[in-house]
mmCIF file of all heavy atoms in Angstrom:
data_model
loop_
_atom_site.group_PDB
_atom_site.id
_atom_site.type_symbol
_atom_site.label_atom_id
_atom_site.label_comp_id
_atom_site.label_asym_id
_atom_site.label_seq_id
_atom_site.Cartn_x
_atom_site.Cartn_y
_atom_site.Cartn_z
ATOM 1 N N VAL A 20 144.087 55.840 105.795
ATOM 2 C CA VAL A 20 143.480 56.458 104.618
ATOM 3 C C VAL A 20 142.975 55.403 103.649
ATOM 4 O O VAL A 20 143.461 54.268 103.618
ATOM 5 C CB VAL A 20 144.489 57.375 103.885
ATOM 6 C CG1 VAL A 20 144.951 58.507 104.780
ATOM 7 C CG2 VAL A 20 145.678 56.577 103.350
ATOM 8 N N ASP A 21 141.995 55.796 102.859
ATOM 9 C CA ASP A 21 141.516 54.997 101.732
ATOM 10 C C ASP A 21 142.232 55.521 100.500
ATOM 11 O O ASP A 21 141.984 56.643 100.057
ATOM 12 C CB ASP A 21 139.999 55.142 101.595
ATOM 13 C CG ASP A 21 139.415 54.267 100.483
ATOM 14 O OD1 ASP A 21 140.201 53.690 99.710
ATOM 15 O OD2 ASP A 21 138.180 54.185 100.387
ATOM 16 N N ALA A 22 143.150 54.723 99.965
ATOM 17 C CA ALA A 22 143.983 55.175 98.844
ATOM 18 C C ALA A 22 143.214 55.284 97.543
ATOM 19 O O ALA A 22 143.703 55.855 96.570
ATOM 20 C CB ALA A 22 145.187 54.253 98.677
ATOM 21 N N GLY A 23 141.986 54.719 97.485
ATOM 22 C CA GLY A 23 141.152 54.844 96.299
ATOM 23 C C GLY A 23 141.598 53.987 95.137
ATOM 24 O O GLY A 23 142.640 53.323 95.182
ATOM 25 N N ASP A 24 140.795 53.963 94.073
ATOM 26 C CA ASP A 24 141.090 53.213 92.842
ATOM 27 C C ASP A 24 141.422 51.752 93.115
ATOM 28 O O ASP A 24 142.283 51.154 92.462
ATOM 29 C CB ASP A 24 142.262 53.862 92.084
ATOM 30 C CG ASP A 24 141.923 55.258 91.583
ATOM 31 O OD1 ASP A 24 140.742 55.500 91.274
ATOM 32 O OD2 ASP A 24 142.832 56.097 91.525
ATOM 33 N N GLY A 25 140.737 51.177 94.099
ATOM 34 C CA GLY A 25 140.934 49.774 94.403
ATOM 35 C C GLY A 25 142.205 49.458 95.159
ATOM 36 O O GLY A 25 142.520 48.283 95.403
ATOM 37 N N ALA A 26 142.965 50.493 95.543
ATOM 38 C CA ALA A 26 144.231 50.261 96.248
ATOM 39 C C ALA A 26 144.027 49.817 97.683
ATOM 40 O O ALA A 26 144.913 49.219 98.284
ATOM 41 C CB ALA A 26 145.085 51.527 96.210
ATOM 42 N N GLY A 27 142.869 50.107 98.248
ATOM 43 C CA GLY A 27 142.573 49.663 99.607
ATOM 44 C C GLY A 27 143.046 50.644 100.665
ATOM 45 O O GLY A 27 143.470 51.760 100.379
ATOM 46 N N PHE A 28 142.978 50.174 101.910
ATOM 47 C CA PHE A 28 143.301 51.031 103.051
ATOM 48 C C PHE A 28 144.784 50.933 103.384
ATOM 49 O O PHE A 28 145.380 49.860 103.359
ATOM 50 C CB PHE A 28 142.453 50.641 104.252
ATOM 51 C CG PHE A 28 140.979 50.914 104.051
ATOM 52 C CD1 PHE A 28 140.139 49.929 103.547
ATOM 53 C CD2 PHE A 28 140.454 52.163 104.318
ATOM 54 C CE1 PHE A 28 138.791 50.177 103.334
ATOM 55 C CE2 PHE A 28 139.113 52.435 104.106
ATOM 56 C CZ PHE A 28 138.281 51.434 103.612
ATOM 57 N N HIS A 29 145.348 52.091 103.700
ATOM 58 C CA HIS A 29 146.770 52.176 104.021
ATOM 59 C C HIS A 29 146.971 53.076 105.236
ATOM 60 O O HIS A 29 146.147 53.930 105.537
ATOM 61 C CB HIS A 29 147.567 52.773 102.851
ATOM 62 C CG HIS A 29 147.699 51.887 101.666
ATOM 63 N ND1 HIS A 29 146.617 51.515 100.873
ATOM 64 C CD2 HIS A 29 148.796 51.285 101.118
ATOM 65 C CE1 HIS A 29 147.054 50.730 99.889
ATOM 66 N NE2 HIS A 29 148.357 50.586 100.019
ATOM 67 N N TRP A 30 148.089 52.862 105.903
ATOM 68 C CA TRP A 30 148.573 53.845 106.864
ATOM 69 C C TRP A 30 149.418 54.837 106.082
ATOM 70 O O TRP A 30 150.355 54.460 105.395
ATOM 71 C CB TRP A 30 149.411 53.191 107.956
ATOM 72 C CG TRP A 30 148.576 52.484 108.983
ATOM 73 C CD1 TRP A 30 148.404 51.132 109.127
ATOM 74 C CD2 TRP A 30 147.797 53.116 110.007
ATOM 75 N NE1 TRP A 30 147.553 50.882 110.165
ATOM 76 C CE2 TRP A 30 147.162 52.073 110.732
ATOM 77 C CE3 TRP A 30 147.571 54.440 110.387
ATOM 78 C CZ2 TRP A 30 146.326 52.331 111.815
ATOM 79 C CZ3 TRP A 30 146.730 54.698 111.453
ATOM 80 C CH2 TRP A 30 146.125 53.650 112.155
ATOM 81 N N MET A 31 149.058 56.100 106.168
ATOM 82 C CA MET A 31 149.818 57.158 105.518
ATOM 83 C C MET A 31 150.754 57.779 106.549
ATOM 84 O O MET A 31 150.315 58.337 107.555
ATOM 85 C CB MET A 31 148.870 58.220 104.960
ATOM 86 C CG MET A 31 149.560 59.352 104.224
ATOM 87 S SD MET A 31 148.312 60.463 103.475
ATOM 88 C CE MET A 31 149.364 61.746 102.781
ATOM 89 N N ILE A 32 152.052 57.645 106.317
ATOM 90 C CA ILE A 32 153.057 58.230 107.194
ATOM 91 C C ILE A 32 153.485 59.551 106.582
ATOM 92 O O ILE A 32 153.739 59.630 105.375
ATOM 93 C CB ILE A 32 154.269 57.290 107.366
ATOM 94 C CG1 ILE A 32 153.884 56.037 108.161
ATOM 95 C CG2 ILE A 32 155.422 57.988 108.058
ATOM 96 C CD1 ILE A 32 153.338 54.925 107.343
ATOM 97 N N PHE A 33 153.567 60.606 107.385
ATOM 98 C CA PHE A 33 153.967 61.911 106.862
ATOM 99 C C PHE A 33 154.956 62.560 107.822
ATOM 100 O O PHE A 33 154.916 62.338 109.039
ATOM 101 C CB PHE A 33 152.748 62.813 106.629
ATOM 102 C CG PHE A 33 151.762 62.847 107.757
ATOM 103 C CD1 PHE A 33 151.845 63.798 108.764
ATOM 104 C CD2 PHE A 33 150.714 61.919 107.807
ATOM 105 C CE1 PHE A 33 150.924 63.832 109.802
ATOM 106 C CE2 PHE A 33 149.789 61.943 108.853
ATOM 107 C CZ PHE A 33 149.902 62.898 109.844
ATOM 108 N N ASN A 34 155.872 63.342 107.252
ATOM 109 C CA ASN A 34 156.924 63.920 108.080
ATOM 110 C C ASN A 34 157.467 65.212 107.487
ATOM 111 O O ASN A 34 157.702 65.318 106.286
ATOM 112 C CB ASN A 34 158.081 62.925 108.234
ATOM 113 C CG ASN A 34 159.209 63.501 109.065
ATOM 114 O OD1 ASN A 34 159.030 63.793 110.236
ATOM 115 N ND2 ASN A 34 160.377 63.683 108.461
ATOM 116 N N ILE A 35 157.676 66.183 108.392
ATOM 117 C CA ILE A 35 158.362 67.436 108.079
ATOM 118 C C ILE A 35 159.199 67.771 109.315
ATOM 119 O O ILE A 35 158.649 68.014 110.388
ATOM 120 C CB ILE A 35 157.379 68.588 107.802
ATOM 121 C CG1 ILE A 35 156.439 68.241 106.647
ATOM 122 C CG2 ILE A 35 158.126 69.883 107.509
ATOM 123 C CD1 ILE A 35 155.202 69.089 106.604
ATOM 124 N N GLY A 36 160.514 67.758 109.191
ATOM 125 C CA GLY A 36 161.367 68.061 110.331
ATOM 126 C C GLY A 36 162.022 66.826 110.914
ATOM 127 O O GLY A 36 162.235 65.829 110.221
ATOM 128 N N ASP A 37 162.334 66.873 112.228
ATOM 129 C CA ASP A 37 163.066 65.769 112.840
ATOM 130 C C ASP A 37 162.311 65.046 113.947
ATOM 131 O O ASP A 37 162.920 64.305 114.726
ATOM 132 C CB ASP A 37 164.426 66.243 113.362
ATOM 133 C CG ASP A 37 164.313 67.293 114.464
ATOM 134 O OD1 ASP A 37 163.183 67.781 114.727
ATOM 135 O OD2 ASP A 37 165.360 67.638 115.055
ATOM 136 N N SER A 38 160.989 65.258 114.057
ATOM 137 C CA SER A 38 160.193 64.306 114.829
ATOM 138 C C SER A 38 160.137 63.026 113.999
ATOM 139 O O SER A 38 160.450 63.047 112.804
ATOM 140 C CB SER A 38 158.796 64.864 115.109
ATOM 141 O OG SER A 38 158.885 65.977 115.977
ATOM 142 N N ARG A 39 159.736 61.909 114.597
ATOM 143 C CA ARG A 39 159.891 60.635 113.897
ATOM 144 C C ARG A 39 158.671 59.731 113.973
ATOM 145 O O ARG A 39 157.860 59.828 114.894
ATOM 146 C CB ARG A 39 161.093 59.861 114.467
ATOM 147 C CG ARG A 39 162.428 60.505 114.195
ATOM 148 C CD ARG A 39 163.570 59.685 114.774
ATOM 149 N NE ARG A 39 164.871 60.262 114.423
ATOM 150 C CZ ARG A 39 166.040 59.773 114.810
ATOM 151 N NH1 ARG A 39 166.073 58.678 115.572
ATOM 152 N NH2 ARG A 39 167.166 60.356 114.443
ATOM 153 N N VAL A 40 158.610 58.815 112.985
ATOM 154 C CA VAL A 40 157.656 57.704 112.989
ATOM 155 C C VAL A 40 158.454 56.413 112.859
ATOM 156 O O VAL A 40 159.299 56.285 111.970
ATOM 157 C CB VAL A 40 156.643 57.812 111.839
ATOM 158 C CG1 VAL A 40 155.701 56.595 111.853
ATOM 159 C CG2 VAL A 40 155.839 59.102 111.922
ATOM 160 N N TYR A 41 158.191 55.482 113.781
ATOM 161 C CA TYR A 41 158.809 54.159 113.756
ATOM 162 C C TYR A 41 157.727 53.091 113.586
ATOM 163 O O TYR A 41 156.563 53.309 113.953
ATOM 164 C CB TYR A 41 159.514 53.852 115.078
ATOM 165 C CG TYR A 41 160.719 54.679 115.422
ATOM 166 C CD1 TYR A 41 160.602 55.891 116.113
ATOM 167 C CD2 TYR A 41 162.001 54.232 115.128
ATOM 168 C CE1 TYR A 41 161.707 56.630 116.475
ATOM 169 C CE2 TYR A 41 163.136 54.960 115.496
ATOM 170 C CZ TYR A 41 162.977 56.158 116.169
ATOM 171 O OH TYR A 41 164.084 56.886 116.532
ATOM 172 N N SER A 42 158.135 51.928 113.092
ATOM 173 C CA SER A 42 157.276 50.736 113.154
ATOM 174 C C SER A 42 157.951 49.723 114.071
ATOM 175 O O SER A 42 159.175 49.705 114.217
ATOM 176 C CB SER A 42 157.070 50.126 111.761
ATOM 177 O OG SER A 42 158.291 49.619 111.244
ATOM 178 N N TRP A 43 157.133 48.874 114.682
ATOM 179 C CA TRP A 43 157.617 47.857 115.619
ATOM 180 C C TRP A 43 156.867 46.558 115.334
ATOM 181 O O TRP A 43 155.637 46.522 115.371
ATOM 182 C CB TRP A 43 157.378 48.313 117.060
ATOM 183 C CG TRP A 43 157.560 47.259 118.114
ATOM 184 C CD1 TRP A 43 156.587 46.681 118.879
ATOM 185 C CD2 TRP A 43 158.799 46.661 118.533
ATOM 186 N NE1 TRP A 43 157.127 45.764 119.739
ATOM 187 C CE2 TRP A 43 158.488 45.729 119.548
ATOM 188 C CE3 TRP A 43 160.130 46.818 118.151
ATOM 189 C CZ2 TRP A 43 159.467 44.960 120.177
ATOM 190 C CZ3 TRP A 43 161.095 46.056 118.781
ATOM 191 C CH2 TRP A 43 160.770 45.147 119.775
ATOM 192 N N ASP A 44 157.603 45.501 114.997
ATOM 193 C CA ASP A 44 156.963 44.230 114.667
ATOM 194 C C ASP A 44 157.103 43.179 115.766
ATOM 195 O O ASP A 44 156.832 42.007 115.541
ATOM 196 C CB ASP A 44 157.510 43.680 113.349
ATOM 197 C CG ASP A 44 158.990 43.299 113.429
ATOM 198 O OD1 ASP A 44 159.585 43.405 114.521
ATOM 199 O OD2 ASP A 44 159.548 42.893 112.390
ATOM 200 N N GLY A 45 157.506 43.611 116.943
ATOM 201 C CA GLY A 45 157.703 42.686 118.059
ATOM 202 C C GLY A 45 159.156 42.297 118.248
ATOM 203 O O GLY A 45 159.547 41.842 119.321
ATOM 204 N N ARG A 46 159.954 42.517 117.214
ATOM 205 C CA ARG A 46 161.389 42.205 117.289
ATOM 206 C C ARG A 46 162.266 43.347 116.784
ATOM 207 O O ARG A 46 163.346 43.578 117.312
ATOM 208 C CB ARG A 46 161.696 40.946 116.466
ATOM 209 C CG ARG A 46 161.089 39.674 117.027
ATOM 210 C CD ARG A 46 161.550 38.465 116.217
ATOM 211 N NE ARG A 46 161.011 37.210 116.746
ATOM 212 C CZ ARG A 46 161.282 36.016 116.243
ATOM 213 N NH1 ARG A 46 162.064 35.903 115.174
ATOM 214 N NH2 ARG A 46 160.762 34.939 116.792
ATOM 215 N N THR A 47 161.782 44.032 115.753
ATOM 216 C CA THR A 47 162.613 45.045 115.096
ATOM 217 C C THR A 47 161.938 46.402 115.129
ATOM 218 O O THR A 47 160.766 46.533 114.779
ATOM 219 C CB THR A 47 162.892 44.649 113.632
ATOM 220 O OG1 THR A 47 163.511 43.357 113.605
ATOM 221 C CG2 THR A 47 163.796 45.665 112.972
ATOM 222 N N LEU A 48 162.698 47.404 115.551
ATOM 223 C CA LEU A 48 162.252 48.795 115.501
ATOM 224 C C LEU A 48 162.832 49.416 114.237
ATOM 225 O O LEU A 48 164.042 49.402 114.033
ATOM 226 C CB LEU A 48 162.730 49.556 116.730
ATOM 227 C CG LEU A 48 162.279 51.016 116.838
ATOM 228 C CD1 LEU A 48 160.797 51.090 117.192
ATOM 229 C CD2 LEU A 48 163.121 51.753 117.877
ATOM 230 N N GLU A 49 161.964 49.959 113.372
ATOM 231 C CA GLU A 49 162.418 50.549 112.118
ATOM 232 C C GLU A 49 161.963 51.996 112.025
ATOM 233 O O GLU A 49 160.770 52.290 112.177
ATOM 234 C CB GLU A 49 161.871 49.766 110.923
ATOM 235 C CG GLU A 49 162.288 50.346 109.581
ATOM 236 C CD GLU A 49 161.690 49.608 108.394
ATOM 237 O OE1 GLU A 49 160.943 48.623 108.609
ATOM 238 O OE2 GLU A 49 161.963 50.022 107.247
ATOM 239 N N GLN A 50 162.885 52.892 111.789
ATOM 240 C CA GLN A 50 162.525 54.285 111.575
ATOM 241 C C GLN A 50 161.980 54.431 110.163
ATOM 242 O O GLN A 50 162.687 54.198 109.187
ATOM 243 C CB GLN A 50 163.726 55.208 111.779
ATOM 244 C CG GLN A 50 163.367 56.680 111.629
ATOM 245 C CD GLN A 50 164.564 57.606 111.845
ATOM 246 O OE1 GLN A 50 165.531 57.235 112.510
ATOM 247 N NE2 GLN A 50 164.500 58.794 111.288
ATOM 248 N N LEU A 51 160.714 54.814 110.050
ATOM 249 C CA LEU A 51 160.074 54.954 108.747
ATOM 250 C C LEU A 51 160.317 56.331 108.148
ATOM 251 O O LEU A 51 160.483 56.464 106.934
ATOM 252 C CB LEU A 51 158.573 54.698 108.874
ATOM 253 C CG LEU A 51 158.161 53.323 109.387
ATOM 254 C CD1 LEU A 51 156.640 53.238 109.513
ATOM 255 C CD2 LEU A 51 158.676 52.218 108.468
ATOM 256 N N SER A 52 160.296 57.350 108.968
ATOM 257 C CA SER A 52 160.516 58.706 108.486
ATOM 258 C C SER A 52 162.016 58.982 108.366
ATOM 259 O O SER A 52 162.844 58.255 108.915
ATOM 260 C CB SER A 52 159.872 59.719 109.441
ATOM 261 O OG SER A 52 160.423 59.587 110.745
ATOM 262 N N ILE A 53 162.346 60.029 107.626
ATOM 263 C CA ILE A 53 163.729 60.458 107.454
ATOM 264 C C ILE A 53 163.864 61.872 108.005
ATOM 265 O O ILE A 53 163.101 62.766 107.626
ATOM 266 C CB ILE A 53 164.134 60.433 105.967
ATOM 267 C CG1 ILE A 53 164.001 59.012 105.403
ATOM 268 C CG2 ILE A 53 165.560 60.945 105.784
ATOM 269 C CD1 ILE A 53 164.193 58.925 103.906
ATOM 270 N N ASP A 54 164.818 62.064 108.911
ATOM 271 C CA ASP A 54 164.993 63.375 109.527
ATOM 272 C C ASP A 54 165.351 64.432 108.483
ATOM 273 O O ASP A 54 166.216 64.210 107.632
ATOM 274 C CB ASP A 54 166.114 63.339 110.572
ATOM 275 C CG ASP A 54 165.776 62.468 111.769
ATOM 276 O OD1 ASP A 54 164.617 62.042 111.888
ATOM 277 O OD2 ASP A 54 166.688 62.235 112.587
ATOM 278 N N HIS A 55 164.676 65.562 108.572
ATOM 279 C CA HIS A 55 165.063 66.721 107.760
ATOM 280 C C HIS A 55 165.960 67.584 108.647
ATOM 281 O O HIS A 55 165.506 68.530 109.284
ATOM 282 C CB HIS A 55 163.824 67.503 107.316
ATOM 283 C CG HIS A 55 162.904 66.704 106.457
ATOM 284 N ND1 HIS A 55 161.534 66.770 106.575
ATOM 285 C CD2 HIS A 55 163.155 65.789 105.486
ATOM 286 C CE1 HIS A 55 160.979 65.950 105.688
ATOM 287 N NE2 HIS A 55 161.957 65.341 105.029
ATOM 288 N N SER A 56 167.218 67.223 108.704
ATOM 289 C CA SER A 56 168.152 67.898 109.589
ATOM 290 C C SER A 56 169.511 68.036 108.921
ATOM 291 O O SER A 56 169.852 67.294 107.992
ATOM 292 C CB SER A 56 168.301 67.121 110.901
ATOM 293 O OG SER A 56 168.907 65.857 110.666
ATOM 294 N N ALA A 57 170.302 68.984 109.436
ATOM 295 C CA ALA A 57 171.630 69.203 108.883
ATOM 296 C C ALA A 57 172.515 67.979 109.070
ATOM 297 O O ALA A 57 173.262 67.597 108.163
ATOM 298 C CB ALA A 57 172.261 70.426 109.550
ATOM 299 N N VAL A 58 172.425 67.337 110.239
ATOM 300 C CA VAL A 58 173.293 66.179 110.475
ATOM 301 C C VAL A 58 172.877 64.986 109.630
ATOM 302 O O VAL A 58 173.725 64.203 109.195
ATOM 303 C CB VAL A 58 173.330 65.796 111.978
ATOM 304 C CG1 VAL A 58 174.023 66.879 112.779
ATOM 305 C CG2 VAL A 58 171.942 65.504 112.516
ATOM 306 N N GLN A 59 171.571 64.833 109.347
ATOM 307 C CA GLN A 59 171.141 63.733 108.486
ATOM 308 C C GLN A 59 171.697 63.923 107.074
ATOM 309 O O GLN A 59 172.105 62.949 106.416
ATOM 310 C CB GLN A 59 169.619 63.648 108.434
ATOM 311 C CG GLN A 59 169.089 62.462 107.636
ATOM 312 C CD GLN A 59 169.516 61.129 108.215
ATOM 313 O OE1 GLN A 59 169.346 60.887 109.408
ATOM 314 N NE2 GLN A 59 170.083 60.256 107.389
ATOM 315 N N GLU A 60 171.747 65.164 106.611
ATOM 316 C CA GLU A 60 172.320 65.423 105.296
ATOM 317 C C GLU A 60 173.812 65.097 105.285
ATOM 318 O O GLU A 60 174.337 64.575 104.297
ATOM 319 C CB GLU A 60 172.089 66.886 104.915
ATOM 320 C CG GLU A 60 170.617 67.212 104.631
ATOM 321 C CD GLU A 60 170.415 68.637 104.152
ATOM 322 O OE1 GLU A 60 171.417 69.404 104.124
ATOM 323 O OE2 GLU A 60 169.271 68.997 103.808
ATOM 324 N N LEU A 61 174.503 65.368 106.385
ATOM 325 C CA LEU A 61 175.920 65.032 106.478
ATOM 326 C C LEU A 61 176.129 63.523 106.497
ATOM 327 O O LEU A 61 177.066 63.007 105.877
ATOM 328 C CB LEU A 61 176.537 65.671 107.731
ATOM 329 C CG LEU A 61 176.623 67.201 107.737
ATOM 330 C CD1 LEU A 61 177.086 67.698 109.097
ATOM 331 C CD2 LEU A 61 177.561 67.695 106.644
ATOM 332 N N VAL A 62 175.235 62.819 107.214
ATOM 333 C CA VAL A 62 175.303 61.355 107.236
ATOM 334 C C VAL A 62 175.053 60.795 105.845
ATOM 335 O O VAL A 62 175.783 59.918 105.359
ATOM 336 C CB VAL A 62 174.288 60.773 108.246
ATOM 337 C CG1 VAL A 62 174.197 59.248 108.097
ATOM 338 C CG2 VAL A 62 174.689 61.132 109.673
ATOM 339 N N ASP A 63 174.016 61.305 105.176
ATOM 340 C CA ASP A 63 173.680 60.824 103.828
ATOM 341 C C ASP A 63 174.820 61.070 102.846
ATOM 342 O O ASP A 63 175.024 60.282 101.911
ATOM 343 C CB ASP A 63 172.406 61.511 103.328
ATOM 344 C CG ASP A 63 171.169 61.097 104.107
ATOM 345 O OD1 ASP A 63 171.225 60.064 104.807
ATOM 346 O OD2 ASP A 63 170.148 61.805 104.022
ATOM 347 N N ALA A 64 175.553 62.151 103.053
ATOM 348 C CA ALA A 64 176.664 62.481 102.167
ATOM 349 C C ALA A 64 177.943 61.722 102.524
ATOM 350 O O ALA A 64 178.951 61.842 101.819
ATOM 351 C CB ALA A 64 176.932 63.980 102.199
ATOM 352 N N GLY A 65 177.884 60.954 103.620
ATOM 353 C CA GLY A 65 179.050 60.188 104.045
ATOM 354 C C GLY A 65 180.114 61.019 104.732
ATOM 355 O O GLY A 65 181.258 60.566 104.891
ATOM 356 N N LEU A 66 179.755 62.233 105.177
ATOM 357 C CA LEU A 66 180.735 63.127 105.800
ATOM 358 C C LEU A 66 180.899 62.864 107.290
ATOM 359 O O LEU A 66 181.940 63.182 107.869
ATOM 360 C CB LEU A 66 180.333 64.584 105.557
ATOM 361 C CG LEU A 66 180.296 65.007 104.085
ATOM 362 C CD1 LEU A 66 179.795 66.440 103.947
ATOM 363 C CD2 LEU A 66 181.687 64.875 103.455
ATOM 364 N N ILE A 67 179.867 62.318 107.934
ATOM 365 C CA ILE A 67 179.974 61.911 109.329
ATOM 366 C C ILE A 67 179.287 60.562 109.489
ATOM 367 O O ILE A 67 178.455 60.166 108.658
ATOM 368 C CB ILE A 67 179.344 62.933 110.304
ATOM 369 C CG1 ILE A 67 177.829 63.050 110.063
ATOM 370 C CG2 ILE A 67 180.023 64.286 110.201
ATOM 371 C CD1 ILE A 67 177.120 63.913 111.110
#
């Protein structure tokens, strides 16, 4: 996307649900999106 106002071009990552977007730099795999799931909420709350 073109972010406009001189911000330049960006990759816009978007997510709804528990499909995922990752980035890979040749060494590290990073999950960019956050799962919208019951278990993710439990993890975030420190319950599991």
Side-chain angles (χ1 to χ4, degrees):
V20 299
D21 183 351
D24 295 329
F28 294 92
H29 289 67
W30 283 105
M31 182 175 176
I32 292 87
F33 46 92
N34 179 63
I35 302 161
D37 63 352
S38 293
R39 293 180 176 179
V40 178
Y41 293 88
S42 66
W43 168 250
D44 66 3
R46 293 185 179 182
T47 303
L48 183 73
E49 179 183 0
Q50 183 179 336
L51 300 178
S52 59
I53 300 172
D54 294 350
H55 298 140
S56 66
V58 293
Q59 184 61 51
E60 291 184 355
L61 293 173
V62 171
D63 292 343
L66 298 176
I67 64 173

